[in-house]
Amino acid sequence: MDTLNEILSQISLQADVVFAGELHGAKHFDGSGFVHLIESGSLSLICHGRRELKVCKPCVLFFPSSCIHTLVSQDAGPAKLVSAAIKLDSMGAALVNTMPSFVYFELCQNNTVTNTIQWLFNEVFEERFGRQTMIERLSDIFILQVLREATQNGVILQGVLSAATHPQLSKVIEVIHGKPAENWTVESLASIAAMSRSKFAASFRRVIGQTPNDYITDIRLGLAQKLLKKNKPIGFVAGEVGYEHGSALARVFRKKLGMSPREWLQTLR
């Protein structure tokens, strides 16, 4: 459980409201993850041109990663909703890569996920002291709650959260998160798992959905993103996450995100 808590504590989510009000007709969403708070009315959810769900009750629709979808109001009248585009850091993306394309929660009076998302949207619309910090903290809490619900309900059957409870791979996940800058190799990680190199590599990929090297890169990139947001110099950040110099980290950014660290920071601003 300590390993799981360590993993969850490292993720970060950014949210920006893109629609608020009454939906007349259809609204198309693409290019990032999204969270929709449907407050009243009824609508249909269409994913990739196929109708997936008819919504008739107040609810939350959470798309953890980019999924082309459309919300269409019904003839009975417009639906009232708030929609936010979300961006997970590399660590968060690794956590949700095996979740369904969307997760549905009905709004319940005492549901903790409901309370958090309503509080989050209230902060988004109010220009109050500490607004951005509150949005960031509430976004983090929301994604943690969703992952907890998904894990407890068996939605996540593969991936990092499953590996955290695996009798052998959990030890590997723990040391990677504890020392991400270490010069880990498949051989050294296989030794920690008490498995042969080939069996470890196959088991890791089957359970987590990534190779060990790709997973370590995502962990390092996620930590680098957090440090860069704190205005740490790229050379310092590179050393903290396991790269010899800033140019090596920049190459990883371009390979994974298609942009340099400086360009990535500019997208946040």
Side-chain angles (χ1 to χ4, degrees):
M1 187 60 67
D2 289 341
T3 303
L4 185 57
N5 289 335
E6 177 68 20
I7 293 171
L8 294 177
S9 71
Q10 292 180 359
I11 69 172
S12 180
L13 177 149
Q14 179 187 356
D16 297 297
V17 171
V18 295
F19 180 86
E22 293 185 342
L23 177 64
H24 298 266
K27 177 71 175 175
H28 184 71
F29 299 90
D30 188 16
S32 71
F34 286 92
V35 57
H36 306 288
L37 173 63
I38 292 87
E39 297 178 336
S40 63
S42 60
L43 51 78
S44 291
L45 167 65
I46 299 173
C47 295
H48 302 292
R50 185 177 66 253
R51 182 166 137 169
E52 296 281 353
L53 182 71
K54 185 175 181 179
V55 178
C56 301
K57 298 179 180 180
C59 69
V60 172
L61 286 171
F62 175 55
F63 292 78
S65 56
S66 181
C67 174
I68 300 172
H69 63 283
T70 304
L71 297 179
V72 184
S73 63
Q74 301 300 296
D75 295 336
K80 186 178 180 181
L81 70 147
V82 182
S83 300
I86 62 169
K87 292 182 180 180
L88 287 163
D89 62 11
S90 295
M91 181 65 254
L95 281 171
V96 303
N97 67 352
T98 55
M99 287 184 68
S101 58
F102 70 91
V103 180
Y104 169 86
F105 296 99
E106 285 190 8
L107 291 180
C108 303
Q109 186 174 0
N110 296 318
N111 183 282
T112 55
V113 177
T114 298
N115 294 337
T116 301
I117 195 62
Q118 289 178 325
W119 189 4
L120 171 61
F121 280 124
N122 286 340
E123 288 293 334
V124 169
F125 285 113
E126 295 180 10
E127 292 292 340
R128 299 168 64 188
F129 173 75
R131 172 180 176 272
Q132 188 55 42
T133 301
M134 287 291 289
I135 290 172
E136 291 175 358
R137 298 294 187 273
L138 289 169
S139 296
D140 289 345
I141 292 171
F142 170 68
I143 186 64
L144 293 178
Q145 288 175 330
V146 170
L147 289 170
R148 175 191 286 172
E149 292 275 342
T151 304
Q152 291 176 342
N153 296 332
V155 173
I156 300 178
L157 302 177
Q158 180 194 37
V160 182
L161 299 184
S162 294
T165 59
H166 191 282
Q168 292 165 290
L169 294 182
S170 61
K171 300 174 184 177
V172 174
I173 297 298
E174 183 176 1
V175 298
I176 291 175
H177 282 265
K179 297 181 178 180
E182 191 81 12
N183 185 27
W184 297 114
T185 64
V186 175
E187 288 79 7
S188 63
L189 295 174
S191 177
I192 292 170
M195 302 167 73
S196 69
R197 184 187 188 282
S198 58
K199 183 178 180 181
F200 166 73
S203 297
F204 195 98
R205 183 155 195 165
R206 183 184 70 254
V207 174
I208 294 183
Q210 289 180 289
T211 66
N213 287 336
D214 284 343
Y215 181 73
I216 291 169
T217 299
D218 281 346
I219 300 302
R220 290 176 171 179
L221 189 56
L223 293 175
Q225 288 171 323
K226 284 193 172 185
L227 290 172
L228 288 169
K229 286 195 290 186
K230 295 178 181 179
N231 296 317
K232 301 295 183 182
I234 186 170
F236 170 82
V237 173
E240 287 293 297
V241 301
Y243 297 103
E244 293 184 1
H245 40 70
S247 59
L249 177 59
R251 285 196 296 271
V252 173
F253 259 77
R254 287 202 175 276
K255 182 178 179 181
K256 285 285 190 176
L257 304 178
M259 63 185 78
S260 69
R262 181 174 295 179
E263 290 169 338
W264 176 78
L265 281 172
Q266 289 175 345
T267 66
L268 299 183
R269 295 164 182 162

